[in-house]
Amino acid sequence: MKITPFSANCGATVEDFQLASMTDDELANLRQAFTQHGLLFFRNQELSPEEHLHFARRFGSIVVNKFFKTTKEHPEIAEVRKEKTQQTNIGGGWHADHSYDDEPAMGSILVARVLPKTGGNTHFANLYAAYEALPSSMQERLAAMRAIHSNKHLYGENGLYRLTDLADQLGGMDRVGDATHPVVITHPESGRKALYVNPGHTVQFEDWGFDESRELLEELYAHVTQPEFTCSFNWLPGSVTFWDNRCSWHIADNDYQGQMRLMHRITLAGSALNAA
Ligand SMILES: O=C(O)CCC(=O)C(=O)O
Ligand SMILES: [Fe+2]
């Protein structure tokens, strides 16, 4: 097993390794790499849905997304599907998965199943690096703050996704909800500080007005999405990514209109997050 950084601040590639036949020693190494990098890329994997599930269970416990359809055979595997005729994709804005839950998902394992000929990259951002690069006055200001995260504006009645051609793929309208989290968290495994707000789900700061919240949030978002904190992953048959939602964001390109793209996602359960 060989682990090398993918870019200066973003992710690592794991080579000479098959997820499907992982040994206990490899699992221990992978845990360490996951804690260190928060984002792992794998190529040339042969991973059936059953093996995907088996890997996920060895790493943690599975939490099922409240809104996405699952595969018929595997109610714990969410389908991230875009049909040829569909315009809108899932995850087409920067976000961290499930930050609207009180105990947000710790990680997501995404497996390529059907890919467009070109395009459909996923971009990632490193929220440790972004936090560390903030001026210390901003770090101090954010340390005492909390933010409200929600899914209502996306998946609730008249939510953004409900108004698109993604709507028939979504369930769970009655399962919408909010959660509040510290704006800067101490990561439960690495002990490092990370910025924990994201454009997809963070609505506003607790005890702040909406407009003044938006102003600071947009400033933070512009900071995080600078090239030095982000990277882009091009999917090939057999590619798998495994990211930590507590210290990264991601966004899926929607640049392959007229072609199908299908990914399988398993989400791993996390815990309540503590302020830094
Ligand atoms: O399709 C992708 O590349 C990512 C979609 C997404 O946001 C997710 O699977 O959580
Ligand atoms: Fe996502």
Side-chain angles (χ1 to χ4, degrees):
M1 180 189 245
K2 193 172 132 212
I3 299 165
T4 41
F6 182 76
S7 72
N9 267 323
C10 196
T13 307
V14 184
E15 291 167 289
D16 301 331
F17 169 68
Q18 281 294 320
L19 286 157
S21 54
M22 176 173 69
T23 65
D24 288 343
D25 283 349
E26 285 175 329
L27 174 57
N29 289 338
L30 208 64
R31 278 192 199 285
Q32 205 174 29
F34 189 70
T35 302
Q36 188 183 339
H37 298 282
L39 170 60
L40 301 177
F41 300 117
F42 308 85
R43 297 286 190 191
N44 304 312
Q45 298 295 309
E46 287 187 27
L47 196 70
S48 68
E50 290 73 22
E51 288 164 339
H52 187 186
L53 281 162
H54 184 66
F55 167 73
R57 291 199 184 100
R58 283 182 72 190
F59 207 95
S61 53
I62 295 172
V63 60
V64 178
N65 182 278
K66 293 172 188 158
F67 308 107
F68 300 166
K69 273 198 179 148
T70 67
T71 70
K72 275 196 207 75
E73 302 79 14
H74 304 99
E76 292 164 305
I77 299 182
E79 282 194 340
V80 177
R81 176 187 284 273
K82 183 165 184 265
E83 299 289 357
K84 269 187 188 173
T85 52
Q86 204 176 305
Q87 298 297 311
T88 309
N89 67 336
I90 291 178
W94 283 108
H95 65 283
D97 295 334
H98 300 195
S99 74
Y100 45 71
D101 286 338
D102 287 326
E103 298 187 345
M106 74 92 132
S108 303
I109 311 157
L110 194 65
V111 177
R113 294 299 179 199
V114 179
L115 292 172
K117 282 200 195 74
T118 57
N121 279 20
T122 308
H123 302 246
F124 295 88
N126 179 336
L127 276 292
Y128 291 133
Y131 171 78
E132 286 160 12
L134 286 171
S136 53
S137 56
M138 179 63 89
Q139 291 177 340
E140 279 159 31
R141 184 175 178 206
L142 298 174
M145 293 168 57
R146 295 177 66 82
I148 303 167
H149 298 242
S150 183
N151 46 39
K152 285 186 195 137
H153 57 290
L154 299 174
Y155 303 100
E157 213 180 331
N158 295 321
L160 281 177
Y161 277 145
R162 303 278 177 201
L163 304 175
T164 68
D165 58 0
L166 252 179
D168 11 314
Q169 276 186 41
L170 302 173
M173 188 128 37
D174 52 339
R175 288 200 288 270
V176 289
D178 303 339
T180 68
H181 303 290
V183 169
V184 183
I185 59 163
T186 297
H187 188 282
E189 275 97 48
S190 71
R192 291 174 71 188
K193 293 180 187 182
L195 186 63
Y196 194 75
V197 287
N198 69 81
H201 302 130
T202 309
V203 180
Q204 67 171 85
F205 298 116
E206 198 173 54
D207 302 326
W208 280 45
F210 184 78
D211 291 344
E212 51 173 352
S213 296
R214 292 318 309 175
E215 204 174 307
L216 179 53
L217 285 169
E218 294 303 334
E219 190 185 323
L220 294 171
Y221 297 162
H223 170 75
V224 175
T225 52
Q226 294 177 93
E228 60 200 288
F229 309 125
T230 61
C231 59
S232 175
F233 183 72
N234 69 311
W235 293 90
L236 298 169
S239 297
V240 176
T241 63
F242 182 18
W243 65 82
D244 186 326
N245 287 298
R246 290 93 42 100
C247 58
S248 69
W249 294 351
H250 56 281
I251 179 173
D253 279 346
N254 188 12
D255 57 353
Y256 52 94
Q257 298 299 358
Q259 297 181 72
M260 185 185 168
R261 183 173 178 274
L262 173 65
M263 318 295 270
H264 280 178
R265 194 184 89 182
I266 298 180
T267 318
L268 294 178
S271 51
L273 297 168
N274 296 319

